[in-house]
Every structure is written in structure tokens, then in C-alpha cells.
Amino acid sequence: MTFQTLRDIMVDFQLVPRGLHDKRVLDAMKKIPRQLFVDESLWDRAYDDMALPVGEGQTISQPYMVAVMTELLALSGNEKVLEIGTGSGYQAAVLAELSREVYSIERIGALSEKAGETLRNLGYINIHLRVGDGTLGWPEAAPFDRILITAGAPDMPEPLIGQLSDGGIIIAPVGDRFSQQLIRITKEEGHLKSEYHTPCMFVPLIGEYGWKEE
Ligand code: SAH
């Protein structure tokens, strides 16, 4: 089977039956070669219905979670997006297909470097990477129309809410260390509205406004 066939099967059997319907998101996930974001020894599992290790104790999220979070961001193509937790870079690639500009922060240098190489090889020029504590955001590039945290947070980090534009949406898995729920906060005329979505399980967000390092 070709990787394209595996991608089509992933979308048609893992995503569509679970209610995902944003055609732009589904098309992006049919297009992006997810196997290139994991080690070659995992290529035969790259389209499986699960998260996979990407080194340094971190993971590339399950395709379903990537799709759910991306769909909740309601991207139309013109947004400036901030991602916290670059990891493999796969989610950043999905965002880059669907928005104008992506800023992504990763705390582990080696992961950021590898992600940068993968994304450059794929020709993405609208993704900016930085190594650091993403809970502090990226003040020089703020405000952002959308913010996505792809690591489990104890609370929504305050500085990120401050860096969200009016009319913006921020999504994060919030909860305890081992289980969270996706929260979507929208900012309208300075007011915040929160909604709760899918239960989930992410590696911890570690930083000043996240969990403390063990
Ligand atoms: N979005 C990634 C998956 C992320 S896993 C992908 O598509 O592959 C979560 C990542 O968040 C890990 O790589 C972890 O190192 C990173 N992380 C944890 N706390 C962070 C913080 N405070 N700032 C930036 N990155 C953080």
C-alpha cells in the first residue's frame, strides 16, 4: 500500500466516522506525509490510530486529536497562529496548510531542530520556530488570531490569553498530569467564553505557567 492510500484510509476510517467534517482539515491530512515526522523504524505505524514516540519522551499526537483540535480552531486561511509544543512539527504543518502564518514554540532544542529540518524539506515557508518556554508566548509576534497548546496544562496560561486577538480562539488540553479535557476559549470584545470538548491525554506542558519540571 502506498502512503497516499494509508492517508486516505486514515481520514476516511478514523476521522470522518467520528464526526470530523471540515473539508480543508481532512484534505490537509490527506496531503501531508505524516511518516516523515516519525523515525523511519515507525513508518509502518505512521497512520495508525494512536500517538507515537518522537524521542525525548515526547509524542506526535494521534491523528484524530490533531483533526479535532484543528477543526475547533475554525481556520479560514488568513490567520496568524501560535502553537505551543512543536514536537515533530506535524501539527505545525497542518496549521500551515490552513492559515497564513504559524509560530511554534518547543522547549526541547533537539526536537525543534529536527522538526525544522522536516518542515524545510517539505517546503513550508510560513512556519517560524523558536526554542523556549511556550507558556510565556511569543510577545514580539503577538497578537495571534489562534493559539493551540499541544501539551497538557494545569490551567490556561495567562500570558497566552493576553496574546490572543479580539475575536481569537485558544485551545488547550487542561486538567491533571495524566488526563485532560480540550478547552476552547473565545475572546469577544475583551470577554472570554469557555467551552469544554473531548477528553484527552497529552504529555505535560512544562514551564512557568505549566507544570514544574520533575
Ligand atoms: N504538536 C506536536 C506534538 C506535541 S507533544 C506534534 O505535532 O508532533 C508536546 C510537546 O510540547 C513536546 O514536544 C514537549 O517537549 C513540548 N512542550 C512541553 N512544555 C512546553 C513548553 N512550556 N513550551 C514549549 N513546548 C513545550
Side-chain angles (χ1 to χ4, degrees):
M1 243 190 272
T2 64
F3 285 118
Q4 183 60 62
T5 306
L6 290 171
R7 274 199 288 285
D8 292 345
I9 292 175
M10 170 185 83
V11 169
D12 295 341
F13 290 88
Q14 296 175 31
L15 308 184
V16 174
R18 288 174 174 145
L20 291 152
H21 56 262
D22 184 334
K23 187 161 182 320
R24 295 180 69 238
V25 176
L26 301 176
D27 285 348
M29 292 183 70
K30 279 194 177 182
K31 173 179 167 190
I32 300 168
R34 181 172 160 92
Q35 78 278 4
L36 299 182
F37 294 85
V38 297
D39 189 79
E40 200 165 343
S41 61
L42 293 174
W43 278 14
D44 58 340
R45 292 162 61 193
Y47 294 93
D48 287 2
D49 191 12
M50 58 172 81
L52 292 171
V54 294
E56 311 284 338
Q58 308 304 320
T59 53
I60 176 174
S61 304
Q62 178 194 19
Y64 171 66
M65 279 316 303
V66 172
V68 167
M69 293 190 295
T70 310
E71 195 163 296
L72 284 172
L73 285 175
L75 295 164
S76 67
N78 208 20
E79 296 84 0
K80 183 156 83 170
V81 185
L82 174 66
E83 179 195 22
I84 313 302
T86 314
S88 68
Y90 177 73
Q91 174 77 66
V94 174
L95 296 172
E97 292 284 341
L98 301 172
S99 65
R100 179 163 47 87
E101 212 81 52
V102 177
Y103 293 78
S104 184
I105 310 175
E106 168 58 53
R107 63 181 279 272
I108 300 174
L111 291 180
S112 179
E113 223 167 89
K114 186 130 185 295
E117 193 186 311
T118 310
L119 293 167
R120 262 192 311 280
N121 288 340
L122 287 170
Y124 289 102
I125 53 166
N126 59 339
I127 302 177
H128 314 275
L129 301 182
R130 161 187 277 193
V131 177
D133 177 5
T135 69
L136 302 172
W138 193 320
E140 311 88 282
F144 300 96
D145 306 304
R146 300 288 187 268
I147 300 178
L148 175 60
I149 306 180
T150 65
D155 283 300
M156 195 62 90
E158 257 328 298
L160 297 183
I161 293 176
Q163 290 174 32
L164 186 65
S165 344
D166 204 52
I169 301 176
I170 176 166
I171 294 179
V174 174
D176 63 34
R177 195 106 181 183
F178 301 101
S179 72
Q180 306 91 30
Q181 194 170 10
L182 281 188
I183 295 190
R184 171 160 83 166
I185 294 181
T186 42
K187 197 189 246 186
E188 272 157 38
E189 290 167 13
H191 293 288
L192 302 176
K193 188 181 91 187
S194 314
E195 299 156 38
Y196 291 79
H197 292 273
T198 325
C200 48
M201 212 173 98
F202 281 79
V203 295
L205 179 75
I206 295 171
E208 194 169 328
Y209 292 84
W211 298 100
K212 298 294 160 242
E213 209 152 352
E214 268 162 30

